[in-house]
Amino acid sequence: MTWARADLKGALVTRMEHAGVTVVNTHPIANRDGDWSRSGRFWPLHRAQLDALTATVRDITSPAVVCGDFNIDRDSSLMGGFLDDTGLSDAFGGGCPPTFRGEYLPAGETPHCIDFILATGEIRAVTAEVLFAGKQPLPGGLGYLSDHVGLSARLSWAL
C-alpha cells in the first residue's frame, strides 16, 4: 500500500515573483520503521522520491527554499546525500531537535528530526526556531497541535 500511495506524494513549487524566490514544499512517504539505512525497506522509495525532488530543485533558477515533512532522519545517508546533491543548507545548521513527538511513537522508539527548512546558497537564515514545542490551549484542554513540532525561520536574500 505504501508504494501505491507514493504516487500521491510530490512537491508543490511556488514561484513568488515579487520576492524573487521559489518555495518548494514536500512530504515524502512516511517511514513507519524508523530505519533509514540502505537495508531498510523504505530506502529505495525514499531514494527515488529524493531523486525526483533533486531534479525539481536543480530546475529552479531563482533562490529557493525547500521545506516540509521529509519523513527522513537528518542524520541518515539519504538526507546527507540529498543535501550534497542539491547544495541546500539547513536553516537550523543541523541543530534542529527531534521534530516528530516521542509521545506518538511506539514504546522504546527514538524521535528524530524529520522536518526541514532548507535553502539555496543565496539565502541565509537570520533566525530559526521551533514552534509549538509544548502543549497548547485547545477547546478540550491542553494538547499538542500536531504529532510534529513546527519550524520557523526568518530568511534573508538579495533581490
Side-chain angles (χ1 to χ4, degrees), residues 33-145:
D33 297 349
D35 178 3
W36 292 276
S37 69
R38 284 187 176 268
S39 59
R41 69 180 174 132
F42 287 95
W43 196 93
L45 181 53
H46 276 152
R47 180 75 262 155
Q49 289 180 317
L50 288 177
D51 287 347
L53 185 57
T54 296
T56 298
V57 170
R58 286 181 177 164
D59 284 343
I60 297 170
T61 57
S62 64
V65 176
V66 181
C67 55
D69 175 2
F70 281 70
N71 281 310
I72 298 170
D73 179 36
R74 171 188 57 218
D75 297 325
S76 70
S77 64
L78 281 164
M79 186 52 69
F82 174 71
L83 294 175
D84 289 344
D85 291 346
T86 59
L88 294 168
S89 60
D90 183 355
F92 284 80
C96 187
T99 56
F100 190 83
R101 296 184 188 283
E103 295 87 348
Y104 293 90
L105 291 171
E109 294 293 321
T110 304
H112 297 270
C113 177
I114 59 173
D115 301 271
F116 301 94
I117 299 173
L118 308 171
T120 55
E122 305 92 337
I123 299 176
R124 300 280 181 243
V126 177
T127 62
E129 64 182 320
V130 174
L131 303 174
F132 311 117
K135 292 184 177 182
Q136 304 295 312
L138 299 172
L142 290 179
Y144 294 118
L145 298 178

